[in-house]
Amino acid sequence: MAMCFQDSCPVFAKPNNNSRSSGVGSTSASQVQSYTPYPISNAPGIPPYPTTPGSYPSMPHANVGSGTVQPEHLKASVMSAVEHKIRQRLREKLGTMHAELASIRQTHADLRAGQQKLKVIVDDLAQEQKRMEDALIVYQEKKAEITSLLSTSSSEKIVEIDQVIDACTPLHRQLLRCYVYDCAIDDAIYFLGQALSRGRISLTNYLKEVRQLSRRQFIYRATLQKCRIKAKMSV
């Protein structure tokens, strides 16, 4: 075993250094006592050099361990490995949790923005519903009024449409009349063109009628424009 393991043998015991040092120390002490490294001075007033090595301090000897692995070492190594593994797992868990938390915060922000948009849309719909309800009330009142008028009026009485539809002021009445004449002249010119294409009228009569209608239409359109300016309407 000594040849195989030499100084690394787990049961190898080194010799005690105290026994060796004691023998060597006694020999060196005797040699130091018999030898003086410096000459002794006989001059008066100068102390002589010491001849004994008693003033030199002795160096402590370090105790060398046996070199075997103790259970405490194994326990510390295992605990260090387990601690490193646990820290690594904790870092992974914390990283995953931070990523999920960031995703949840982003989703929460998106949901809050969507909530604000939905709130605005709901408010707009509520206002629109209120306007529709008000308009429905007005329409129902008008319908009831028309129904009452129809029930009280005689069915044999002839109703003039021009008397039923009228403007509120003379200016607006003139504006309405000019607009109606303008549209009627457009229709007349269109039907004259259709009659000419079918050969119902001659070209001379067509040009004559179109010239007269165009003059009247010009007057109505000029009057219509002046009425719009007077009524502060868009021209």
Side-chain angles (χ1 to χ4, degrees):
M1 291 178 64
M3 293 177 64
C4 294
F5 294 101
Q6 296 181 0
D7 291 344
S8 300
C9 181
V11 295
F12 177 76
K14 292 183 179 181
N16 192 2
N17 294 328
N18 295 329
S19 60
R20 294 183 179 180
S21 61
S22 62
V24 174
S26 60
T27 305
S28 61
S30 61
Q31 292 178 359
V32 169
Q33 289 179 0
S34 61
Y35 175 73
T36 56
Y38 298 99
I40 299 173
S41 176
N42 295 326
I46 298 175
Y49 288 98
T51 58
T52 60
S55 61
Y56 295 99
S58 61
M59 299 298 292
H61 297 281
N63 294 326
V64 180
S66 60
T68 58
V69 179
Q70 300 296 329
E72 291 80 4
H73 300 164
L74 293 175
K75 183 178 180 180
S77 178
V78 171
M79 289 181 65
S80 177
V82 171
E83 183 180 359
H84 177 70
K85 198 70 174 180
I86 291 174
R87 286 182 179 178
Q88 186 177 1
R89 292 292 180 85
L90 285 175
R91 289 193 193 98
E92 294 177 358
K93 289 288 185 181
L94 288 175
T96 305
M97 292 177 66
H98 282 304
E100 292 178 355
L101 184 59
S103 177
I104 291 172
R105 287 178 178 174
Q106 183 65 31
T107 305
H108 182 263
D110 295 340
L111 290 175
R112 290 295 298 272
Q115 183 182 7
Q116 295 295 329
K117 292 181 180 179
L118 289 175
K119 186 177 180 181
V120 172
I121 293 172
V122 169
D123 294 340
D124 294 340
L125 289 176
Q127 295 177 0
E128 189 68 24
Q129 183 180 3
K130 186 177 180 181
R131 287 195 295 268
M132 293 295 294
E133 290 176 354
D134 296 339
L136 181 61
I137 293 172
V138 174
Y139 292 154
Q140 289 177 353
E141 292 177 355
K142 294 296 182 180
K143 182 179 179 181
E145 184 179 355
I146 292 172
T147 304
S148 62
L149 290 175
L150 290 175
S151 61
T152 55
S153 63
S154 176
S155 59
E156 297 179 357
K157 185 178 179 181
I158 299 174
V159 179
E160 294 291 339
I161 191 65
D162 294 334
Q163 296 179 0
V164 174
I165 300 175
D166 195 5
C168 57
T169 61
L171 179 62
H172 290 85
R173 188 179 298 111
Q174 186 179 7
L175 194 149
L176 177 62
R177 185 172 62 86
C178 292
Y179 180 74
V180 170
Y181 282 141
D182 184 17
C183 293
I185 291 172
D186 284 337
D187 294 339
I189 293 173
Y190 172 76
F191 284 108
L192 285 174
Q194 293 293 325
L196 178 63
S197 63
R198 294 178 183 178
R200 301 292 179 87
I201 60 174
S202 62
L203 180 60
T204 305
N205 293 331
Y206 172 77
L207 294 176
K208 182 180 179 180
E209 294 295 333
V210 168
R211 188 182 300 112
Q212 293 178 359
L213 291 174
S214 298
R215 289 176 181 175
R216 294 177 61 184
Q217 189 178 28
F218 175 77
I219 295 173
Y220 289 134
R221 286 186 177 180
T223 307
L224 180 64
Q225 187 174 4
K226 289 183 179 180
C227 292
R228 284 180 176 273
I229 294 173
K230 192 69 176 179
K232 296 180 180 180
M233 299 174 64
S234 60
V235 179

